[in-house]
Amino acid sequence: MSASPPTIIEVAIPVRIDQTFSYRVPERLAASAAAGKRVLVPFGRRKVTGYVLGPGDATAAELKEIIEVLDAEPLVTKAELAFLRWVASYYLFPLGEVLKTALPAGINLTSRKRQVAGPDGTSATEEVLAGGKRVKTELFYRSLPAAAGVTQPRGRGGEILAFLAGMEEAPAHLLRQRFGPCAPQLKRLRELGFVAATAREVYRDPFREEVFEHDTPHVLNDDQAAALARLVAACDTAAFAPFLLHGVTGSGKTEVYLQAIAHVLSRGKTALVLVPEIALTPQLVRRFKRRFRCGIAVLHSGLSDGERFDEWRRIRRGEAEIVIGARSAIFAPLERLGIIVVDEEHEGSYKQSEGVRYHARDLALVRGKMEKGVVLLGSATPLVTSFHAAREGRLGCLELPRRVRDLPMPTVELVDARGKKGETFLPPLAAALADNLAGGGQSLLFLNRRGFATYLVCQECGFVLRCPNCAVTLTYHRRRERHFCHYCDYSIPAPSVCPGCESPSIGLLGRGTERVEEEVRELLPEARVSRMDRDTTSGRGGHARILRGLEEGRIDILIGTQMIAKGHDFPGVTLVGVVSADATLNIPDFRSAERTFQLITQVLGRAGRGDAPGRVIVQSLAPDHYAIRHAVSHDVAGFYEEELAFRRETGYPPFAFLAALHLSGTNAAAVEQGAERAARLLQQLKGRLRSRVEILGPVTSPLGKLRGRFRWQILLKAPARSDLHRLVNGFRGAIDLPAQVRLVIDIDPVEMM
């Protein structure tokens, strides 16, 4: 970054305009308007926050001046800015929006107009600035010499004074915890000159209340030791080194992460650990807090804006050597980055579905290459693309083929559910649940649907209760006695007669987690049953509360969606039941078999991780499908061979690269016409560029209406990324759609719905 900024600077504005802007810097701000800082600038009729990128275009005419420099120090380093420029270029998204995504929410200022009363009583318009996250401060109290030997204060005031006399100082929150509401007493003690108070900045710490006991590194088995040795050697070369750590469930991948990170820290570098779900964060953070005494920061969507702001500032100030978080943590401002770990690298939740549609797993590889560090992708069920890259030598392959302490893999029984309509628990699963409860074991029941029943249907006229905003049926939630849309949260009270023909012959079809919970309680009334899905974990700390109940043995049977399948380690779980293994097989997506295999394999891996052996029962309507067959037989290699053959034949990743164009709007005809216009332009550009891109569509999306918007899509397939970007870039610059039609370009799409 230049110590003497130019008088003309380039500024990125967080708006959906794919360009940057040049501004003049007034002399009074010339020394402070450096790259990486925020500036307040005029933009149209507003004042907004922009980000300084460097020297601007000095030839531009009639430049506006920046109003103010908002930061004393840059928020973004030169290396981070280069990374964010790459993100904007690859995902074809405005750089200002990418910068806004990477920085803490709520820190930017923008102007707005409001009506105020003028001095003569008339109404006037006033411009005010809104936004800007505030630093949290707290009062710290200490006893003064004048209080020595004082006995006059009585009651709570005297207790506070005696308490402060025994320590150097105490924060206000600690005094409130010990003495209850005590502001009047503290005010009086200050007036008497017995105590003094100093306001200081404090961090909002989401883990402040927890106490962590220290542990020591575990002894590694031969496979773990071999993997760690390769990682340590790579860390010592200070060069980019990507690895796939392919280990069966329960093979001790986390211990390899911990010891590799310990080595990186010993060399004065920092570490970033990505997890796919915030549900995994508490358990992982506890393991890291027990192992390390350095600063550990946490970044995920479950934190408040203030907590995220404070964690980001701790990282920026160098007070955290390890960052753990969900996908957005890929933008954590860590310097001297030595290793990036992507746990459960196969998970689709690493892909951002709104705004900048980045994939954190892919960005980990990009950032690792830029930082010349080690990137470790860990999974028991790697992405097909990762497996192929390792086989081709583009990723170093580290294998953990057995569980720690040589614990056996669980025994698996596949139960054919065909012809068993109406039965949630077939006899083998029902008996196993009862036996496991009697033996003191814990059970997990997996079902990939929440709610009580999937939909309501009339037996007379066939009417199905659907969401008016989305092309989906409404799901019944018995506890709230309402039908909900799981996409837009539209809901209505449960009807007593058919809304179509007013017949009372309406019934619920399908099963959700809420109904399975009720059936378990009926089957085993003595069991302590809990449920883990989006409904039960929506409150603050919901994930941690349920998982801790299982960890501490207060839950006998936990029913859940795929949240329970991901990376949790509970030694007490000895039985896993998969109520229905087929839901993901029927999704109209080329990855449906891969996702089914991954999900079943992961949920099987929750059983038998302690001293007691594990047992798994899988109920399936498609027991002969290769994804299910290979999953229940623990045959990872067999599945990948069949899946890669399918991908090669159909021309899907890893043998092609994809981009999806999504068009949506509230006017069905306008969206359809816009999609057809977009497809024609793509075909014209393809011919002009002699492009090898295959254009599929336009077609209505599988979810043809969502949140009141009609949806169409076009899928692009290309043998090389460069072909894809060349065509899409040309299309972006030439397409002209009606204002009511929204276009979203998704590079490397994960969801095809």
Side-chain angles (χ1 to χ4, degrees):
M1 297 178 198
S2 174
S4 301
T7 54
I8 306 297
I9 57 173
E10 182 186 12
V11 176
I13 308 292
V15 292
R16 297 291 179 93
I17 300 175
D18 195 27
Q19 69 177 90
T20 58
F21 302 88
S22 292
Y23 283 86
R24 184 179 300 108
V25 181
E27 187 175 347
R28 66 182 179 86
L29 299 175
S32 58
K37 292 184 179 182
R38 294 172 305 145
V39 288
L40 188 65
V41 298
F43 189 74
R45 297 181 179 180
R46 299 180 297 155
K47 298 182 180 73
V48 300
T49 299
Y51 311 99
V52 181
L53 303 175
D57 181 5
T59 64
E62 299 183 7
L63 294 180
K64 296 180 180 179
E65 285 191 346
I66 67 171
I67 300 167
E68 195 59 72
V69 177
L70 300 176
D71 303 303
E73 299 293 333
L75 301 183
V76 182
T77 66
K78 184 177 180 180
E80 291 161 2
L81 193 52
F83 172 60
L84 297 175
R85 282 186 184 274
W86 188 97
V87 173
S89 173
Y90 184 78
Y91 290 103
L92 305 176
F93 212 79
L95 179 56
E97 289 282 288
V98 174
L99 278 153
K100 181 181 178 181
T101 299
L103 291 168
I107 66 170
N108 288 342
L109 297 172
T110 185
S111 65
R112 58 183 176 84
K113 301 290 179 65
R114 70 177 182 185
Q115 296 298 118
V116 296
D120 57 355
T122 60
S123 178
T125 301
E126 179 183 66
E127 185 177 47
V128 295
L129 291 174
K133 184 60 62 182
R134 293 188 176 182
V135 170
K136 182 181 179 182
T137 60
E138 186 169 9
L139 289 174
F140 285 75
Y141 292 88
R142 68 182 187 280
S143 177
L144 292 175
V150 169
T151 58
Q152 300 97 322
R154 297 182 181 277
R156 190 177 299 174
E159 294 172 6
I160 293 172
L161 198 58
F163 179 74
L164 289 174
M167 58 176 53
E168 186 174 328
E169 66 177 6
H173 81 269
L174 178 61
L175 296 176
R176 288 193 298 271
Q177 285 177 5
R178 188 175 183 89
F179 301 105
C182 54
Q185 290 83 2
L186 288 168
K187 180 181 178 182
R188 181 58 180 161
L189 291 172
R190 292 175 68 181
E191 291 171 348
L192 293 172
F194 293 157
V195 301
T198 304
R200 290 211 304 271
E201 177 186 344
V202 293
Y203 292 127
R204 305 164 181 91
D205 183 0
F207 294 95
R208 182 173 60 189
E209 305 301 327
E210 297 197 41
V211 177
F212 301 94
E213 296 179 0
H214 189 56
D215 77 351
T216 55
H218 300 172
V219 176
L220 303 180
N221 62 31
D222 292 344
D223 299 316
Q224 289 173 305
L228 179 64
R230 288 188 64 186
L231 291 170
V232 166
C235 291
D236 289 345
T237 63
F240 173 53
F243 291 94
L244 172 64
L245 179 60
H246 180 202
V248 299
T249 53
S251 59
K253 293 185 289 294
T254 303
E255 186 62 30
V256 175
Y257 302 160
L258 289 164
Q259 296 196 27
I261 288 170
H263 180 77
V264 166
L265 298 184
S266 73
R267 296 182 61 83
K269 295 187 177 181
T270 59
L272 173 60
V273 181
L274 299 181
V275 293
E277 298 276 358
I278 62 172
L280 297 177
T281 309
Q283 192 179 46
L284 192 65
V285 168
R286 286 198 292 273
R287 289 199 65 175
F288 272 76
K289 291 264 190 180
R290 291 184 187 120
R291 181 65 57 88
F292 297 105
R293 286 293 175 261
C294 63
I296 298 175
V298 179
L299 291 174
H300 60 68
S301 60
L303 305 182
S304 68
D305 283 352
E307 287 170 339
R308 286 176 64 87
F309 176 58
D310 285 354
E311 291 291 86
W312 183 90
R313 285 189 302 134
R314 288 180 59 221
I315 302 165
R316 177 81 290 164
R317 293 171 174 176
E319 298 173 17
E321 288 78 35
I322 300 172
V323 174
I324 302 172
R327 60 176 175 260
S328 62
I330 190 61
F331 300 114
L334 278 168
E335 299 187 60
R336 311 181 318 281
L337 189 54
I339 187 170
I340 304 175
V341 173
V342 184
D343 192 30
E344 309 291 354
E345 67 95 30
H346 63 279
E347 284 290 346
S349 53
Y350 281 122
K351 174 74 170 181
Q352 173 70 19
S353 60
E354 296 178 347
V356 189
R357 299 200 170 199
Y358 65 89
H359 199 302
R361 176 253 185 215
D362 297 344
L363 290 189
L365 292 166
V366 173
R367 188 170 181 186
K369 186 174 184 179
M370 289 183 168
E371 302 268 2
K372 296 183 173 59
V374 168
V375 178
L376 181 56
L377 311 177
S379 178
T381 54
L383 289 166
V384 169
T385 50
S386 299
F387 183 89
H388 183 69
R391 195 164 72 173
E392 296 285 304
R394 296 193 302 278
L395 295 174
C397 190
L398 310 174
E399 295 279 357
L400 301 180
R402 55 198 173 106
R403 285 184 157 186
V404 293
R405 298 187 289 130
D406 288 321
L407 293 173
M409 294 296 289
T411 59
V412 185
E413 180 181 351
L414 181 59
V415 179
D416 189 344
R418 290 174 292 189
K420 307 295 193 301
K421 185 178 180 181
E423 295 182 51
T424 301
F425 306 114
L426 298 179
L429 180 53
L433 284 168
D435 292 344
N436 200 51
L437 179 65
Q442 293 175 303
S443 301
L444 295 183
L445 284 176
F446 170 75
L447 179 72
N448 211 19
R449 294 173 182 161
R450 62 191 176 108
F452 183 81
T454 307
Y455 60 95
L456 183 80
V457 64
C458 177
Q459 305 298 327
E460 293 291 334
C461 71
F463 175 88
V464 175
L465 198 59
R466 298 181 181 276
C467 175
N469 306 314
C470 308
V472 296
T473 55
L474 297 179
T475 301
Y476 179 54
H477 290 241
R478 170 167 284 186
R479 290 186 181 178
R480 289 186 273 181
E481 295 186 341
R482 297 182 72 86
H483 292 265
F484 283 84
C485 174
H486 288 168
Y487 290 91
C488 72
D489 288 331
Y490 169 85
S491 71
I492 62 169
S496 57
V497 297
C498 172
C501 69
E502 297 187 354
S503 166
S505 301
I506 54 175
L508 297 165
L509 294 182
R511 286 175 175 81
T513 49
E514 190 178 0
R515 181 168 177 179
V516 171
E517 178 187 10
E518 183 176 287
E519 293 189 23
V520 170
R521 293 183 186 278
E522 293 174 356
L523 180 69
L524 300 167
E526 71 277 22
R528 296 169 296 175
V529 182
S530 189
R531 176 164 52 93
M532 187 173 183
D533 55 27
R534 202 174 302 169
D535 296 330
T536 61
T537 59
S538 57
R540 182 175 174 82
H543 297 92
R545 182 185 66 256
I546 296 171
L547 294 176
R548 187 163 295 175
L550 190 67
E551 187 176 10
E552 295 174 355
R554 291 182 278 108
I555 297 173
D556 296 319
I557 301 174
L558 178 63
I559 300 143
T561 58
Q562 56 186 319
M563 290 181 183
I564 68 173
K566 300 177 180 179
H568 303 296
D569 188 5
F570 298 114
V573 173
T574 49
L575 174 68
V576 168
V578 180
V579 176
S580 175
D582 318 297
T584 48
L585 276 179
N586 301 315
I587 295 173
D589 189 317
F590 73 91
R591 297 185 182 90
S592 61
E594 177 183 21
R595 287 173 178 160
T596 301
F597 173 80
Q598 290 168 341
L599 203 51
I600 295 176
T601 301
Q602 289 289 337
V603 79
L604 302 189
R606 300 314 108 202
R609 297 168 78 104
D611 294 329
R615 182 185 180 192
V616 179
I617 296 177
V618 178
Q619 299 180 167
S620 174
L621 292 168
D624 299 326
H625 193 283
Y626 69 93
I628 294 174
R629 181 166 35 85
H630 287 305
V632 299
S633 61
H634 309 298
D635 183 9
V636 175
F639 169 75
Y640 284 111
E641 288 302 323
E642 289 203 49
E643 184 65 13
L644 281 167
F646 161 73
R647 300 282 184 91
R648 185 180 288 107
E649 181 181 344
T650 53
Y652 281 107
F655 306 105
F657 299 93
L658 305 181
L661 308 184
H662 301 282
L663 298 100
S664 67
T666 56
N667 183 306
V671 177
E672 181 177 0
Q673 292 165 10
E676 291 172 349
R677 184 188 304 178
R680 286 195 299 271
L681 176 59
L682 286 166
Q683 292 289 357
Q684 293 167 6
L685 290 171
K686 176 182 176 178
R688 196 178 309 155
L689 297 171
R690 297 182 179 178
S691 173
R692 297 178 295 171
V693 176
E694 183 180 355
I695 302 169
L696 304 177
V699 295
T700 55
S701 302
L703 285 175
K705 188 181 181 185
L706 198 62
R707 301 182 185 93
R709 300 183 68 84
F710 297 93
R711 306 165 77 240
W712 282 66
Q713 66 185 27
I714 301 170
L715 184 66
L716 307 178
K717 295 167 61 177
R721 283 194 176 97
S722 56
D723 291 340
L724 204 59
H725 272 79
R726 193 177 304 115
L727 180 64
V728 178
N729 261 321
F731 169 81
R732 278 202 311 161
I735 189 64
D736 180 24
L737 292 170
Q740 67 266 38
V741 177
R742 182 187 303 162
L743 170 67
V744 172
I745 298 172
D746 189 359
I747 303 295
D748 302 329
V750 169
E751 292 294 338
M752 309 299 291
M753 300 299 287

